[in-house]
Amino acid sequence: MDSHTKASLVPPLEAVPFPRPTERPPAEHDTSTAERGSFCLALCTCGWRGPARRSRDLARKDATRHTSP
Ligand SMILES: [Zn+2]
C-alpha cells in the first residue's frame, strides 16, 4: 500500500482574509424633489426630508437650504 498520493492540506488563497477597501456610503447631499399628491417635498440621499410644500419652488428652496451651510 503506497500512501504517496496523500493530498497536502494547503489552504486555498481565497481562504485568506482579504482586506476590503473601505466602503464609504454616499455621504454627499444629493437633493431632489418628490411629489406627494398636490404637495411637493425635498429629498436628500443622506436621508433628510423636507416638509411638504404646496409648490415645488419652496421644496427646492428647502433642498438648497439643506445643502448650503
Ligand atoms: Zn443631505
Side-chain angles (χ1 to χ4, degrees):
M1 293 301 160
D2 210 334
S3 59
H4 275 290
T5 52
K6 224 179 189 179
S8 54
L9 289 171
V10 175
L13 283 175
E14 284 84 16
V16 177
F18 194 77
R20 294 175 68 187
T22 49
E23 282 177 34
R24 284 199 295 170
E28 304 156 23
H29 295 285
D30 194 10
T31 55
S32 60
T33 53
E35 276 169 45
R36 285 277 175 85
S38 54
F39 290 94
C40 194
L41 56 97
L43 299 169
C44 185
T45 50
C46 76
W48 175 84
R49 241 174 59 164
R53 300 292 195 182
R54 295 297 291 272
S55 79
R56 191 180 287 178
D57 248 21
L58 282 170
R60 276 224 185 99
K61 275 178 188 168
D62 284 335
T64 309
R65 265 176 46 186
H66 170 69
T67 52
S68 58

